């Protein structure tokens, strides 16, 4: 899967998790498709945990949290978020990589645009990172 498609999938999963956590589904079906949802008030925390088993059986885990808030966007909503924390659990041999990941700020699935019924309206435009730049 390419970088852009992988990012789009992660954005969708993150936004879907956030929406379901506050009480409505991004994949609503008949009966609720036309029902406008009210703008959630206050801030919410979205946490994403990604775990990978390494070749030697050890685990690498990255957990990020964002503070999220909803704003009126005319016929829909805009969800903004700001990274709060990043926890990395990695074997000692990957300490340098783990430290780099901890210091990296990630925008996550934000900003996200939702229709008035709570469906994801459009993906975030983001330029793919070149492999040489990432390394």
């Amino acid at each position: 899967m390419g970088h852009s498609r992988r990012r789009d999938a992660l954005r969708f999963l993150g936004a879907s998790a956030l929406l379901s956590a506050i009480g409505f589904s991004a994949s609503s079906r008949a009966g609720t498709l036309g029902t406008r949802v009210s703008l959630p008030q206050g801030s919410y925390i979205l946490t994403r945990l990604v775990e990978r088993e390494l070749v030697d059986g050890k685990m690498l885990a990255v957990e990020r949290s964002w503070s999220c808030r909803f704003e009126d966007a005319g016929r829909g909503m805009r969800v903004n978020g700001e990274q709060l924390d990043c926890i990395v659990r990695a074997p000692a041999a990957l300490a340098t990589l783990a430290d780099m990941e901890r210091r990296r700020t990630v925008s996550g699935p934000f900003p996200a645009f939702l229709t008035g019924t709570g469906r994801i309206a459009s993906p975030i435009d983001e330029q793919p990172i070149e492999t040489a730049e990432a390394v």
Side-chain angles (χ1 to χ4, degrees):
M1 182 182 294
H3 291 295
S4 180
R5 291 179 65 195
R6 191 172 314 138
R7 284 190 188 114
D8 289 344
L10 287 172
R11 283 188 199 105
F12 176 79
L13 290 173
S16 296
L18 176 65
L19 296 176
S20 64
I22 61 168
F24 61 90
S25 170
S27 60
S28 299
R29 293 288 178 234
T32 59
L33 283 177
T35 305
R36 185 168 177 87
V37 296
S38 59
L39 186 68
Q41 300 300 307
S43 62
Y44 297 86
I45 295 178
L46 170 67
T47 300
R48 178 178 67 200
L49 171 64
V50 178
E51 296 178 313
R52 295 287 184 254
E53 184 175 354
L54 304 175
V55 176
D56 61 3
K58 294 180 181 174
M59 294 296 292
L60 173 63
V62 178
E63 181 177 322
R64 289 188 195 280
S65 297
W66 294 268
S67 174
C68 314
R69 63 207 160 280
F70 292 78
E71 299 173 358
D72 186 14
R75 297 187 327 197
M77 293 175 250
R78 178 182 170 106
V79 186
N80 290 313
E82 179 179 303
Q83 184 174 310
L84 295 172
D85 195 15
C86 178
I87 300 167
V88 180
R89 292 180 296 281
L94 298 176
T96 302
L97 178 65
D99 188 51
M100 286 173 46
E101 187 64 21
R102 262 184 222 97
R103 288 184 279 129
R104 190 168 69 94
T105 300
V106 176
S107 64
F110 307 107
F113 299 94
L114 310 176
T115 66
T117 59
R119 296 179 65 96
I120 297 172
S122 64
I124 297 13
D125 292 328
E126 182 177 290
Q127 296 299 318
I129 297 173
E130 295 297 323
T131 304
E133 181 184 348
V135 172

